[in-house]
Amino acid sequence: MKTVKLGDVLEKTSTIKWRERPQDHIYSYVDLTSVDRSRHEIIQTSKINAKNAPSRAQKIIKTDDVLFGTTRPTLNRLCIVPGEYDEQICSTGFCVLRANTDLVTPSFVYYLLTTKAFVEYVEATQRGTSYPAVTDKDVKQFEFVLPSLEEQKKIVERLDAAFKKISAAEVLMRRNLDNVAMLQKSILHKYLSVSDSARTHRFEDIISLVRPKEKLQQKQFLSEGSYPIISQEASFINGYWNDQTILIEDNGPLVVWGDHTTVVKYVDFPFVAGADGTKIFKPIHGIDTKWLYYWLLANPIDKLGYARHYRILKASIVSVPSIETQLKAVKAVDSVFARTDKLIKKFEYKLDKISDLRQSLLQQAFSTTK
């Protein structure tokens, strides 16, 4: 066995020349959102032709190609192309890995890209803060120990058998999380629905924007520190800082909202603001902060990719009931969410354990190649 670069065991791929193709021929187009990040499958595609193809619709894919999303690579958009998408088109946001089957199997390449070693390599290699990415060349520079084809097939067979059971458990946990999310959504709808006495306002008229002295770029975030950083990313706390002079210390709680991500956070402690799209709302007199937070959860903005969304939110119409009605709604939702949040933590803990088991099996399988 020898150490090789991933590019050494791949065949060349090609891009489509739209001018040379029949103008009305229809192709299935796989973009970054087409790949389910938990199931690692293509779940939806759009139909395109030479007349309406997006500029990123360039790469020709074939059966058993491995697709890896190079834009925001840690989101783990990864799949093997099934036969139904043979000779179709994918986005330039994917690196297309076509195995040279004289040297490596497609499934071995797929599993290789799920290993901790590859994930850590990508994390160390990616460039950019708000829109991190790696290049196709970066992916193909990854080094690994190449076993024989016979040994590769044994590794894949062992992992396929083990992961089939693991995937069933994972699907169950994710279904449980979906059910909890649906319950929370129904509770929000029940208690945040419009009352007859509600007053209507534009969103921008019921809040004031809190403007921090300074917002920190993601590359400045510390892994440890005295004060938490709250930004627009999905995780609640996104880093730490030590300079108290830029700390946001309000007299009451605030709502943090992601202009790019539309992520909503209720923050009732001093914090430092992250940059690039972090909006901080303080409601006007007569509007409860927690009620505003729940209203934002109950009325999400339709996502426009990584565009800015506040221009849509600020024009949204909000039906505001009396403060007494708001507080009753908050109390009721708090009571239910206290229980559902415990369920979410329980299911997420089990998913973490499943992920740990998957990585343990991968490490064990690939350690036999060293």
Side-chain angles (χ1 to χ4, degrees), residues 245-300:
T245 62
I246 62 172
L247 197 63
I248 298 173
E249 297 181 275
D250 203 83
N251 292 328
L254 299 167
V255 175
V256 175
W257 187 79
D259 199 358
H260 293 298
T261 63
T262 71
V263 167
V264 190
K265 301 178 183 180
Y266 177 82
V267 186
D268 57 0
F269 52 81
F271 66 98
V272 175
D276 191 34
T278 302
K279 297 286 186 182
I280 305 170
F281 303 143
K282 182 179 178 66
I284 62 173
H285 178 72
I287 297 180
D288 181 71
T289 307
K290 181 64 86 64
W291 183 88
L292 180 69
Y293 164 71
Y294 283 143
W295 184 90
L296 285 165
L297 288 179
N299 298 274

Side-chain angles (χ1 to χ4, degrees), residues 15 49 194 218 228 292:
T15 57
N49 58 31
V194 179
Q218 192 175 45
L292 180 69

